[in-house]
């Protein structure tokens, strides 16, 4: 029973759960959240994106055929300080005029049978560069919704975001909460 539940969760991570082939639940933008925390020796700043969409597909019979795709409107970037928000939008960081979209597309879903978590491996494209990332996720499935929660770090310099190197930490903490209606 526990293995079956773990398999179901794996499938959920790739999308939503249906007892047959594949299901594509509807993204709930109002309940979903995508944020980040950048840090430096003397403090930290929180930020995120107000506008993004996500599409998820789950295949219960073949979990590896599940998928997750996220598209972020980089111009919707916000932070806890107006001056910082403007700086983050310029070419030193996200360069939102030149690169108005950030995308993530899964390439595989990995399930850890010893835990109720899945790793979503995929390609994160920002600033015109694509880098493979692994997103550990804790899926939750109910009759009404699928929730994917993830907390992970990325190295901003892999996308050429080198401004403030040595004064600003290279690692940025990402917090994602994706909610889908079934």
């Amino acid at each position: 029973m526990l293995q079956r539940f773990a398999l179901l969760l794996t499938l959920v991570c790739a999308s939503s759960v249906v007892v047959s082939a594949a299901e594509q639940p509807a993204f709930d933008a109002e309940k979903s959240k995508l944020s980040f925390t950048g840090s430096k020796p003397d403090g930290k700043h929180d930020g995120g994106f107000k506008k993004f969409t996500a599409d998820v597909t789950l295949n219960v019979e073949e979990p590896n055929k599940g998928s997750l795709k996220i598209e972020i409107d980089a111009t919707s970037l916000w932070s806890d300080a107006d001056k910082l928000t403007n700086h983050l939008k310029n070419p030193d960081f996200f360069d939102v005029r030149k690169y108005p979209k950030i995308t993530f597309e899964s390439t595989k879903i990995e399930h850890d049978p010893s835990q109720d978590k899945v790793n979503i491996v995929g390609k994160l494209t920002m600033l015109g560069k694509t880098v493979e990332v692994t997103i550990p996720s804790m899926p939750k499935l109910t009759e009404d919704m699928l929730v994917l929660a993830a907390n992970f770090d990325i190295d901003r310099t892999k996308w050429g975001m080198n401004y403030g190197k040595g004064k600003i930490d290279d690692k940025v903490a990402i917090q994602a909460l994706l909610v889908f209606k079934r």
Side-chain angles (χ1 to χ4, degrees):
M1 177 79 169
L2 223 122
Q3 287 178 335
R4 187 162 166 75
F5 180 70
L7 177 62
L8 185 60
L9 286 175
T10 300
L11 303 175
V12 168
C13 191
S15 177
S16 82
V17 162
V18 170
V19 180
S20 62
E23 179 183 339
Q24 291 187 297
F27 178 63
D28 188 337
E30 288 187 24
K31 292 183 181 174
S32 298
K33 184 178 179 182
L34 187 55
S35 58
F36 58 83
T37 302
S39 56
K40 53 188 180 174
D42 63 343
K44 65 178 184 154
H45 285 284
D46 295 320
F49 299 93
K50 295 177 183 176
K51 296 179 184 175
F52 60 97
T53 60
D55 294 307
V56 70
T57 299
L58 173 66
N59 187 316
V60 176
E61 294 169 7
E62 297 182 70
N64 62 336
K65 290 188 177 182
S67 65
L68 175 65
K69 184 175 182 180
I70 301 169
E71 185 172 296
I72 302 164
D73 178 352
T75 65
S76 73
L77 183 144
W78 63 271
S79 79
D80 55 12
D82 290 341
K83 186 175 178 181
L84 176 60
T85 298
N86 291 330
H87 191 195
L88 290 172
K89 288 183 177 185
N90 82 29
D92 288 340
F93 291 98
F94 289 93
D95 199 0
V96 300
R97 287 187 187 173
K98 187 173 182 182
Y99 303 102
K101 299 275 183 232
I102 299 168
T103 60
F104 172 81
E105 189 162 355
S106 66
T107 56
K108 66 181 167 180
I109 307 295
E110 302 172 332
H111 176 249
D112 181 349
S114 67
Q115 302 177 15
D116 290 335
K117 79 173 195 176
V118 294
N119 286 326
I120 304 169
V121 180
K123 298 175 182 183
L124 178 61
T125 302
M126 96 178 135
L127 296 168
K129 295 180 182 164
T130 302
V131 176
E132 184 175 87
V133 297
T134 298
I135 301 172
S137 176
M138 300 297 290
K140 179 182 176 186
L141 179 66
T142 68
E143 284 188 32
D144 299 329
M145 71 175 69
L146 164 66
V147 178
L148 298 175
N151 293 303
F152 60 101
D153 294 336
I154 61 169
D155 180 345
R156 67 187 179 98
T157 63
K158 289 184 177 183
W159 290 270
M161 209 179 286
N162 296 310
Y163 179 86
K165 188 143 177 71
K167 295 179 182 180
I168 300 170
D169 293 346
D170 292 342
K171 293 207 185 265
V172 177
I174 308 295
Q175 305 86 36
L177 178 67
L178 303 178
V179 179
F180 300 89
K181 297 176 187 173
R182 296 187 68 217

